[in-house]
Amino acid sequence: MASEISPRAEISPKAKIGDNCKIFPFVYIEDDVEIGDGCIIFPFVSILSGTRMGRKNKVHQGAVVGALPQDFNFRGEKSELIIGDNNIIRENVVINRATHTGGKTVIGNDNFLMEGAHISHDTKVGNGCVFGYGTKIAGDCIIEDNVIFSSSVIENAGTRVGRGTMIQAGTTFSKDVPPYIIAGGTPVGYHGVNATIGKARGVDDKVLKHIANAYRLVFLGQTSVFDACRQIEEQVPDGEEIRNIVSFIRSTEQGIISKL
């Protein structure tokens, strides 16, 4: 089915628009842009060069997608923003493309970016994440699947958030946040296992108890977190979630958040 494109939209003839898209008036799309089938682009959206967008995304008024990186190392190089399928990008969201040639900012599938969220250059976002109102993600971050950011969260550069974690409103953090937990406060700290999301995603109660026991060793033990990982492997029954916790902590470069 042919796309419905307003004659009042400004779209480069070099841009590639898929089938069955709807593009409203006053949309601005630059040359090096690809938009997949079934996308809806609302008025006053800018989609800039380097953007590769998948299928059935909705981009709402005032969003800027593929914006130039806000990075002092940027020298005008070509780079990309890769967006998957079925994402909702609400009003006034800004997503930057990467800084250097060959670099990519990546947004996976089924994510919901609420009004005023900002995803900076070279950040990698998984699938099924929620970014609350006014949340700001700095450059070179990694956000795994099914993470929830409440409103006005600030994630500082080069940090990671593990899968299935929730960050409470107003939190600012500069260290890695491990998977399956609730984190928040000033300074940021561990607030327990994110059991609500775990259960919603079919995690068994027994597994949730194993996760809680693992984090008791990490946050309440009297050893280093790396010794805690060894204790987890020795004392907590093995499983996918436990292996994810240990792998995440062992691979940290920034360190992980502390206990309260």
Side-chain angles (χ1 to χ4, degrees), residues 99-230:
T99 297
H100 299 298
T101 298
K104 297 178 181 179
T105 302
V106 178
I107 310 292
N109 304 321
D110 303 303
N111 297 292
F112 190 175
L113 286 71
M114 295 186 185
E115 183 272 328
H118 187 160
I119 309 293
S120 294
H121 64 89
D122 298 283
T123 284
K124 309 294 190 294
V125 176
N127 305 315
C129 297
V130 176
F131 297 83
Y133 300 109
T135 286
K136 310 298 182 184
I137 310 298
D140 296 296
C141 293
I142 296 175
I143 298 163
E144 297 182 353
D145 295 346
N146 305 309
V147 172
I148 296 177
F149 293 87
S150 298
S151 60
S152 301
V153 173
I154 298 175
E155 178 176 359
N156 286 319
T159 53
R160 302 179 300 151
V161 181
R163 66 192 67 185
T165 280
M166 184 174 78
I167 311 295
Q168 294 177 332
T171 299
T172 297
F173 61 99
S174 301
K175 292 187 176 182
D176 293 348
V177 182
Y180 316 119
I181 71 170
I182 299 170
T186 304
V188 61
Y190 168 69
H191 284 255
V193 174
N194 191 6
T196 300
I197 298 302
K199 289 179 180 179
R201 302 200 63 79
V203 179
D204 185 85
D205 284 343
K206 184 182 293 185
V207 174
L208 291 172
K209 289 180 181 178
H210 295 334
I211 294 170
N213 288 334
Y215 280 122
R216 286 190 189 99
L217 294 170
V218 172
F219 290 111
L220 302 179
Q222 301 301 312
T223 64
S224 71
V225 292
F226 297 102
D227 284 339
C229 287
R230 178 180 52 79

Side-chain angles (χ1 to χ4, degrees), residues 54-82:
R55 301 172 64 252
K56 295 184 178 180
N57 296 288
K58 294 181 180 179
V59 186
H60 288 253
Q61 287 89 333
V64 182
V65 178
L68 296 180
Q70 297 180 44
D71 183 350
F72 291 121
N73 294 313
F74 180 60
R75 298 291 183 268
E77 301 171 46
K78 288 186 176 182
S79 61
E80 292 183 316
L81 163 63
I82 309 297

